[in-house]
Amino acid sequence: MEKTRGNSALQVTVEGAIIVAFAMALTYLPHTTGVSAVEFSYGLVPVTVFGFRRGFGPATLAGLTWGMLDLILRGLGNGGVLNPLQGFIEYFIAFALIGIAGLGSNLVQNNLRHKKNVIIPVILFGSLGVLGKYFMHFIAGGYYWGAYAPKGMNPWMWSLIVNGGSAVANIILVIVISLLLSSSFKRLLLPK
Ligand code: 218
């Protein structure tokens, strides 16, 4: 009984709900990078950290839930949805794929427990989650967002610049913050 305190399904669900609310709230902060169309997505940080803490399943569900919220609260209103399939790819699949970071959960936690370095697994699995999300945006960008490319530019080149640029910016963000938290706020990544 005592052993599972703080690790019940209910606890994980409540944590996930808090993470999703936090990720969604962060999207209302300014997130331009200086290069137009390349954007930070700060919510990737809490969802990735939640992945390290609770693993693939909970993080995938959290990402999916954040995506559904983002679709309703922002996507449908600001022109982010061009058609149903594109909306599904960019708000359901893409956001759910952030959960891939959770595949590094055991590695990250074992290293933390044994006072070993977490740099490699944080970089590897943090990057994979962000890359999974932006790979979906890259695909959708090539197929559906070509009309927004500068005149004469190939849609796939445009999509690679926009979504590849966002992926790089967000990978750096996620890795830097996750590594800072893993040393200064270990409890966040390592549950009881
Ligand atoms: C080239 C291009 N432009 C726009 C989009 C749409 N897009 C990109 C990144 C993230 C999201 C989800 C909401 O934050 C969306 C809809 C694209 N894929 N490609």
Side-chain angles (χ1 to χ4, degrees):
M1 189 63 185
E2 183 66 12
K3 221 176 158 192
T4 56
R5 182 169 58 94
N7 292 303
S8 67
L10 175 64
Q11 171 93 22
V12 177
T13 305
V14 171
E15 286 175 10
I18 294 167
I19 290 293
V20 169
F22 186 41
M24 193 64 230
L26 288 174
T27 63
Y28 295 98
L29 294 182
H31 45 257
T32 51
T33 56
V35 185
S36 68
V38 173
E39 289 187 342
F40 284 118
S41 178
Y42 306 118
L44 286 164
V45 175
V47 177
T48 300
V49 169
F50 183 58
F52 293 148
R53 179 180 174 85
R54 293 303 188 183
F56 175 79
T60 301
L61 261 181
L64 180 67
T65 310
W66 174 30
M68 287 167 30
L69 263 184
D70 195 60
L71 169 72
I72 295 165
L73 296 176
R74 298 196 322 142
L76 289 172
N78 72 7
V81 180
L82 305 174
N83 63 64
L85 179 58
Q86 173 268 338
F88 184 73
I89 293 170
E90 295 206 82
Y91 289 90
F92 287 70
I93 313 270
F95 280 75
L97 286 178
I98 310 164
I100 292 172
L103 294 175
S105 176
N106 286 337
L107 226 47
V108 169
Q109 292 191 20
N110 282 334
N111 284 8
L112 281 176
R113 278 202 188 90
H114 299 109
K115 308 237 178 301
K116 288 201 290 194
N117 223 305
V118 294
I119 293 180
I120 305 270
V122 165
I123 289 180
L124 182 63
F125 290 95
S127 302
L128 280 180
V130 177
L131 276 178
K133 179 173 191 283
Y134 282 95
F135 182 69
M136 288 298 124
H137 295 310
F138 166 68
I139 298 291
Y143 277 113
Y144 300 113
W145 292 93
Y148 294 82
K151 235 181 135 149
M153 189 188 284
N154 183 295
W156 290 96
M157 181 49 78
W158 172 240
S159 187
L160 184 66
I161 294 169
V162 169
N163 296 302
S166 294
V168 170
N170 285 299
I171 283 171
I172 294 169
L173 175 79
V174 163
I175 288 172
V176 169
I177 308 285
S178 298
L179 286 176
L180 286 174
L181 291 174
S182 74
S183 59
S184 67
F185 202 172
K186 215 181 280 188
R187 277 191 317 167
L188 218 49
L189 285 77
L190 204 57
K192 283 238 172 67

